[in-house]
Amino acid sequence: QSVLTQPPSVSAAPGQKVTISCSGSSSNIGNNYVSWYQQLPGIAPKLLIYDNNKRPSGIPDRFSGSKSGTSATLGITGLQTGDEADYYCGTWDGSLSSWMFGGGTKLTVL
Amino acid sequence: QLQLQESGPGLVKPSETLSLSCTVSGGSVSSSSYYWGWVRQPPGKGLEWIGSIHYSGSTYYNPSLKSRVTISGDTSKKQLFLKLSSVTAADTAVYYCARTFDSSGSLFFDYWGQGTLVTVSS
């Protein structure tokens, strides 16, 4: 059981928008930057969002991040079948003195 | 383009020590803004951070694994190493090495190796 809670799965149709939540506490999300990672089947994770809402070079603006209080959200617009993947949030937990990943959310594009 | 490549035995016996290497190419390992670390993923499960090392030698570990983990590095060869002792079947996972950006409160994994599967079995 991760200290960062994500829904196990989300789904939406191609072209639609989906959001994935990541809920934590003041010891992690509340006081630290959040990053998001995309893991396509059988592939290593890839950085999607860092510092809550910044995109690395090469990541399309269909992907966005936000944070409010002790929760963070990943948004994906214009869904494509190629977006089907597992998505993980992550941040530092000051109380545990450890980096934490959320449990992951499987995105299905119907 | 920075690349990380893990290597090591794919099969380790229970109670023995898992040893992996990660070779970095296409960039420097001696930047103050970066740590180099290990993340693992049991089959069908989520990601778990193991620990990280700075080129200066400072390390930090996941408290849940700290008693069994040693991470070291050789900056001249641009390699980092993972040792995990007293392994059990629960340590079966894909092990990734990853670069961590760590500066001014910003902390994230920006480059990942392809991962290597280690199975613990007799």
Side-chain angles (χ1 to χ4, degrees):
Chain A
Q1 192 82 1
S2 176
V3 300
L4 302 180
T5 302
Q6 298 183 235
S9 63
V10 295
S11 62
Q16 297 300 303
K17 174 182 177 179
V18 72
T19 60
I20 298 173
S21 61
C22 177
S23 178
S25 68
S26 59
S27 67
N28 42 67
I29 292 177
N31 281 286
N32 293 288
Y33 287 119
V34 176
S35 51
W36 289 90
Y37 304 86
Q38 177 193 59
Q39 187 175 32
L40 297 169
I43 305 295
K46 179 174 78 171
L47 177 67
L48 270 186
I49 298 289
Y50 67 97
D51 291 359
N52 302 331
N53 55 17
K54 297 177 182 174
R55 283 178 287 105
S57 174
I59 300 299
D61 59 6
R62 299 189 299 108
F63 296 91
S64 64
S66 63
K67 187 182 100 168
S68 178
T70 59
S71 293
T73 302
L74 173 70
I76 311 173
T77 60
L79 278 172
Q80 303 172 2
T81 55
D83 296 331
E84 287 201 334
D86 294 322
Y87 292 83
Y88 294 90
C89 60
T91 190
W92 181 258
D93 189 295
S95 294
L96 299 174
S97 294
S98 180
W99 177 271
M100 305 302 299
F101 287 103
T105 299
K106 182 176 181 60
L107 168 64
T108 300
V109 181
L110 302 169
Chain B
Q1 177 77 349
L2 190 74
Q3 292 188 316
L4 293 78
Q5 180 66 59
E6 306 88 348
S7 60
L11 182 64
V12 180
K13 289 182 168 55
S15 80
E16 295 190 344
T17 295
L18 179 160
S19 295
L20 295 176
S21 302
C22 174
T23 300
V24 179
S25 60
S28 171
V29 300
S30 302
S31 168
S32 61
S33 297
Y34 296 104
Y35 277 73
W36 303 85
W38 295 91
V39 175
R40 70 179 183 177
Q41 185 172 35
K45 296 187 178 180
L47 302 170
E48 180 181 36
W49 173 70
I50 298 171
S52 300
I53 185 168
H54 192 257
Y55 83 96
S56 62
S58 63
T59 55
Y60 59 114
Y61 299 124
N62 185 325
S64 68
L65 297 170
K66 186 175 183 178
S67 64
R68 299 193 292 130
V69 173
T70 301
I71 295 176
S72 59
D74 184 332
T75 54
S76 65
K77 295 182 178 179
K78 296 204 289 186
Q79 288 184 310
L80 67 154
F81 308 101
L82 169 68
K83 290 189 182 299
L84 180 65
S85 63
S86 305
V87 297
T88 69
D91 296 308
T92 294
V94 174
Y95 286 75
Y96 296 100
C97 65
R99 188 177 80 167
T100 310
F101 179 83
D102 183 356
S103 181
S104 302
S106 185
L107 183 65
F108 52 88
F109 299 93
D110 59 353
Y111 282 92
W112 298 68
Q114 66 183 27
T116 186
L117 174 63
V118 179
T119 302
V120 178
S121 174
S122 55

